[in-house]
Amino acid sequence: DPVQVAEEGLDLLAEHIRETSMLAIWGETGPVAVRWKRGSRLLFASVGLGTTFPLLNSTTGRLFLALMPREATKAVLEAELAQLGKAARKRAEVGLDKMLDQIRRDGLVEAEGHLAPGIWAASAPVFDSQGQLVAGLTIIGLVEDPPAERRRSVDLVKQAAIEASERLGMTS
């Protein structure tokens, strides 16, 4: 079970970082948080278990947008773009392919201020034995975190996702 295997990564993260962590899988209308581990600090962000993340404005959404087959995300992306005004849609579309290519190269998404001001997040992919994205591990922290602590946390979420992928049979 990919969720159970990836959840072990959340347990590992909870032991080693202060940030809140969560696990998302693809749902009918986008990536949905199915597991949630509160960090040692309280964060005031309007996300939690059952949250469906936007594709364009969340690290979790961007991860799925970059790594899922385009046909799987097309309808959800079009619905998000349709909600934007003409100018905002144009801004969203400019540079989208470049951003998605960068995510594919890095195997990670990082952003600040998308969930709420003062919040940063990083998301890493969990793949199955066929190399298909089955889940995303995300950590959420405070922008005020010391850079070295943040880097360590980002490295750990990426490592936890790699280890979950390996347990699911993904090979490099």
Side-chain angles (χ1 to χ4, degrees):
D1 175 24
V3 171
Q4 186 176 3
V5 170
E7 187 175 14
E8 293 170 13
L10 290 183
D11 293 336
L12 172 72
L13 290 171
E15 291 175 21
H16 297 286
I17 64 174
R18 299 186 309 160
E19 288 78 19
T20 293
S21 57
M22 67 105 192
L23 170 68
I25 61 171
W26 185 257
E28 289 183 28
T29 58
V32 178
V34 294
R35 299 289 187 273
W36 187 263
K37 297 271 185 187
R38 293 223 183 270
S40 61
R41 317 179 269 195
L42 185 60
L43 296 178
F44 295 100
S46 60
V47 295
L49 201 57
T51 298
T52 298
F53 293 91
L55 296 180
L56 295 171
N57 294 322
S58 70
T59 59
T60 303
R62 289 176 177 179
L63 183 77
F64 279 83
L65 186 58
L67 299 173
M68 292 279 293
R70 192 167 291 253
E71 58 274 6
T73 61
K74 184 178 180 181
V76 175
L77 178 60
E78 284 301 319
E80 279 189 35
L81 290 170
Q83 292 177 11
L84 301 175
K86 195 173 192 175
R89 181 182 178 125
K90 187 167 181 78
R91 280 193 308 275
E93 291 174 334
V94 170
L96 183 60
D97 287 335
K98 184 177 178 182
M99 178 186 68
L100 298 178
D101 287 342
Q102 186 69 46
I103 292 166
R104 290 180 195 112
R105 277 192 302 277
D106 294 347
L108 184 77
V109 186
E110 294 182 70
E112 286 185 12
H114 289 281
L115 295 173
I119 301 291
W120 65 268
S123 299
V126 177
F127 297 103
D128 66 11
S129 62
Q130 303 300 307
Q132 300 296 309
L133 180 68
V134 293
L137 288 178
T138 298
I139 55 174
I140 304 165
L142 298 172
V143 172
E144 66 193 37
D145 290 342
E149 181 180 329
R150 180 173 170 173
R151 184 82 257 140
R152 179 179 168 275
S153 295
V154 169
D155 290 345
L156 283 170
V157 75
K158 189 171 183 179
Q159 186 60 38
I162 289 168
E163 289 173 9
S165 297
E166 289 171 349
R167 285 193 303 277
L168 289 170
M170 176 71 181
T171 56
S172 303

